Amino acid sequence: MSVAMGGRHMECAGRMGHMWGIPRKMMFMAAGAFAKTVANLLNTTTVHNANTLICLVRRRPPGVPLVTVSNHMSTLDDPVMWGFKGFPTSDATLGRWVLAAEDICFKNALLSYFFRLGKCIPITRGAGIHQEHMVEALEHLRNGEWLHTFPEGKVIQEDVPIRRLKWGTASLIVRSPITPIVLPIVHRGFEEIMPEKYLFGRRPPVPLCGKKIEIIVGEPIQFDLPSMKQMAIAMSRDWSPPLLGWPTIEEPTRLDEAAQRFLYGHISDQIRGVMERLRGKRL
């Protein structure tokens, strides 16, 4: 079975009402127990500004979506980064949706079912911001839910400056019917728990223990989207490079592809700057 077919065939498992929600509840209980074991028993986790994240997950204004963004240091970042003490890791209703690499998490029907139950949305790397499942991510934002993204688009295990962000996250922020709360998070330590090249150039079979995890939660980033859209329209009038044929965003402000490119780049740069400042902090 192809990767894409596996993802499509398991879309039923991504619905809240799938088998009365029982498999999803069981999945989140198991994943939550695993995350808390790795984060708190096998390793030591320190979190800065945890209450901001917990409050936004539990008690943000009705109907307002939450978008969290973070760096990506290992295949265990999610779910283990949510396993710190006090976080409702096992609550499937409060749990995040997350954009997940289709070529890793949706290789076959079994994996597709597993990750769909875990509220993962398959994303094909390199397929652009208008691919099929970005519409699904937008629908969850429309419903006021929580979406997590790794906007660097790849695992980077070195302690280096935040790389240039992909525009997918910015496009979701702009296209969401209700502007989401955007919360930046930066972490370190996961690269030691699940190093990419450990045994014969491969990951270890189980998470390593005795390591220190640091998670730094920032403050919500404020975006004045109406003003930013007008600026993007004005600055894109002289756009000369070739375009890709993106659809125009009609409501509430008409944004052609050139304006979208300016806007997505500006938002991505702003998020990257905040994440880089968080990365410079030490707990």
Side-chain angles (χ1 to χ4, degrees), residues 74-75 157 190-211:
S74 81
T75 54
Q157 297 210 313
F190 289 105
E191 74 280 10
E192 296 183 6
I193 293 174
M194 185 57 69
E196 289 287 296
K197 298 179 180 180
Y198 181 69
L199 292 172
F200 306 106
R202 308 189 67 172
R203 304 184 192 104
V206 295
L208 304 182
C209 58
K211 311 298 182 181

Side-chain angles (χ1 to χ4, degrees), residues 92-165:
T93 303
L94 294 178
R96 89 291 170 266
W97 291 89
V98 61
L99 303 185
E102 191 175 35
D103 60 326
I104 295 176
C105 301
F106 294 83
K107 290 180 177 180
N108 53 52
L110 181 61
L111 283 176
S112 296
Y113 186 75
F114 177 87
F115 283 104
R116 276 295 193 175
L117 287 181
K119 299 174 76 170
C120 297
I121 301 172
I123 294 296
T124 303
R125 289 184 282 194
I129 64 174
H130 293 287
Q131 59 182 281
E132 175 186 359
H133 290 290
M134 290 292 277
V135 177
E136 179 182 344
L138 276 173
E139 188 62 28
H140 292 303
L141 294 180
R142 183 189 302 274
N143 294 334
E145 299 178 80
W146 169 25
L147 175 71
H148 183 74
T149 75
F150 298 100
E152 289 177 292
K154 61 184 292 187
V155 171
I156 301 172
Q157 297 210 313
E158 298 83 8
D159 188 11
V160 296
I162 302 296
R163 303 289 181 89
R164 178 180 179 275
L165 305 186

Side-chain angles (χ1 to χ4, degrees), residues 167-243:
W167 286 357
T169 299
S171 76
L172 291 172
I173 293 169
V174 172
R175 292 189 287 163
S176 174
I178 300 176
T179 301
I181 298 170
V182 181
L183 187 69
I185 302 171
V186 168
H187 52 74
R188 58 177 63 92
F190 289 105
E191 74 280 10
E192 296 183 6
I193 293 174
M194 185 57 69
E196 289 287 296
K197 298 179 180 180
Y198 181 69
L199 292 172
F200 306 106
R202 308 189 67 172
R203 304 184 192 104
V206 295
L208 304 182
C209 58
K211 311 298 182 181
K212 293 183 179 180
I213 301 171
E214 295 181 355
I215 301 173
I216 303 172
V217 180
E219 296 295 333
I221 304 174
Q222 302 297 323
F223 294 107
D224 183 356
L225 286 183
S227 296
M228 295 172 75
K229 289 177 181 178
Q230 293 301 327
M231 178 193 69
I233 291 171
M235 296 185 66
S236 64
R237 287 172 182 159
D238 297 326
W239 180 271
S240 57
L243 300 176

